[in-house]
Short mmCIF file of all heavy atoms in Angstrom, two decimals:
data_model
loop_
_atom_site.label_atom_id
_atom_site.label_comp_id
_atom_site.label_asym_id
_atom_site.label_seq_id
_atom_site.Cartn_x
_atom_site.Cartn_y
_atom_site.Cartn_z
N SER A 227 3.64 8.56 -12.32
CA SER A 227 3.26 7.16 -12.54
C SER A 227 4.29 6.51 -13.45
O SER A 227 5.03 7.19 -14.17
CB SER A 227 1.87 7.07 -13.18
OG SER A 227 1.93 7.51 -14.52
N ALA A 228 4.33 5.19 -13.43
CA ALA A 228 5.25 4.47 -14.31
C ALA A 228 4.93 4.77 -15.77
O ALA A 228 5.83 4.89 -16.61
CB ALA A 228 5.17 2.97 -14.04
N GLU A 229 3.65 4.93 -16.08
CA GLU A 229 3.24 5.27 -17.45
C GLU A 229 3.75 6.64 -17.86
O GLU A 229 4.22 6.84 -18.98
CB GLU A 229 1.72 5.21 -17.60
CG GLU A 229 1.12 3.82 -17.46
CD GLU A 229 0.97 3.38 -16.01
OE1 GLU A 229 0.92 4.24 -15.09
OE2 GLU A 229 0.95 2.17 -15.77
N GLN A 230 3.66 7.62 -16.95
CA GLN A 230 4.17 8.96 -17.24
C GLN A 230 5.68 8.91 -17.47
O GLN A 230 6.20 9.57 -18.35
CB GLN A 230 3.86 9.92 -16.08
CG GLN A 230 2.42 10.29 -15.97
CD GLN A 230 2.16 11.09 -14.69
OE1 GLN A 230 2.69 10.77 -13.62
NE2 GLN A 230 1.34 12.13 -14.80
N TYR A 231 6.38 8.11 -16.67
CA TYR A 231 7.83 7.98 -16.83
C TYR A 231 8.16 7.42 -18.21
O TYR A 231 9.01 7.96 -18.92
CB TYR A 231 8.40 7.08 -15.73
CG TYR A 231 9.89 6.90 -15.84
CD1 TYR A 231 10.75 7.84 -15.30
CD2 TYR A 231 10.44 5.81 -16.50
CE1 TYR A 231 12.13 7.70 -15.41
CE2 TYR A 231 11.81 5.66 -16.62
CZ TYR A 231 12.65 6.61 -16.07
OH TYR A 231 13.99 6.47 -16.19
N ARG A 232 7.48 6.34 -18.59
CA ARG A 232 7.73 5.73 -19.90
C ARG A 232 7.42 6.70 -21.02
O ARG A 232 8.17 6.82 -21.98
CB ARG A 232 6.88 4.46 -20.07
CG ARG A 232 7.47 3.24 -19.41
CD ARG A 232 6.67 2.00 -19.80
NE ARG A 232 6.56 1.06 -18.71
CZ ARG A 232 5.66 1.11 -17.73
NH1 ARG A 232 4.77 2.05 -17.68
NH2 ARG A 232 5.67 0.20 -16.78
N ALA A 233 6.29 7.43 -20.91
CA ALA A 233 5.89 8.37 -21.96
C ALA A 233 6.87 9.54 -22.07
O ALA A 233 7.17 10.02 -23.16
CB ALA A 233 4.48 8.89 -21.69
N THR A 234 7.39 9.98 -20.94
CA THR A 234 8.28 11.13 -20.92
C THR A 234 9.70 10.78 -21.36
O THR A 234 10.32 11.53 -22.10
CB THR A 234 8.32 11.75 -19.51
OG1 THR A 234 6.99 12.06 -19.11
CG2 THR A 234 9.14 13.01 -19.48
N THR A 235 10.19 9.63 -20.91
CA THR A 235 11.59 9.28 -21.18
C THR A 235 11.74 8.28 -22.32
O THR A 235 12.84 8.09 -22.82
CB THR A 235 12.27 8.68 -19.94
OG1 THR A 235 11.63 7.44 -19.62
CG2 THR A 235 12.23 9.64 -18.78
N GLY A 236 10.64 7.60 -22.66
CA GLY A 236 10.71 6.57 -23.68
C GLY A 236 11.38 5.31 -23.17
O GLY A 236 11.75 4.44 -23.94
N GLY A 237 11.56 5.21 -21.87
CA GLY A 237 12.26 4.06 -21.32
C GLY A 237 11.56 3.48 -20.11
O GLY A 237 10.54 3.98 -19.66
N ASN A 238 12.14 2.42 -19.62
CA ASN A 238 11.64 1.75 -18.44
C ASN A 238 12.80 1.61 -17.48
O ASN A 238 13.79 0.98 -17.80
CB ASN A 238 11.08 0.37 -18.85
CG ASN A 238 10.52 -0.38 -17.68
OD1 ASN A 238 10.58 0.04 -16.54
ND2 ASN A 238 9.96 -1.54 -17.97
N VAL A 239 12.67 2.19 -16.30
CA VAL A 239 13.77 2.20 -15.34
C VAL A 239 14.22 0.78 -15.00
O VAL A 239 15.39 0.53 -14.80
CB VAL A 239 13.41 3.00 -14.07
CG1 VAL A 239 12.39 2.28 -13.23
CG2 VAL A 239 14.64 3.31 -13.26
N ALA A 240 13.32 -0.18 -14.97
CA ALA A 240 13.68 -1.54 -14.60
C ALA A 240 14.37 -2.30 -15.72
O ALA A 240 14.89 -3.38 -15.50
CB ALA A 240 12.43 -2.30 -14.16
N ALA A 241 14.41 -1.75 -16.93
CA ALA A 241 15.00 -2.46 -18.06
C ALA A 241 16.48 -2.17 -18.23
O ALA A 241 17.14 -2.76 -19.07
CB ALA A 241 14.25 -2.11 -19.34
N ARG A 242 17.03 -1.27 -17.48
CA ARG A 242 18.44 -0.90 -17.63
C ARG A 242 19.33 -1.95 -16.98
O ARG A 242 18.93 -2.67 -16.10
CB ARG A 242 18.69 0.47 -16.99
CG ARG A 242 17.90 1.54 -17.68
CD ARG A 242 18.21 2.88 -17.03
NE ARG A 242 17.38 3.90 -17.60
CZ ARG A 242 17.69 4.56 -18.71
NH1 ARG A 242 18.79 4.31 -19.36
NH2 ARG A 242 16.89 5.48 -19.17
#
Side-chain angles (χ1 to χ4, degrees):
S227 71
E229 293 80 22
Q230 288 172 318
Y231 180 84
R232 279 188 217 83
T234 304
T235 65
N238 181 356
V239 71
R242 298 181 184 275

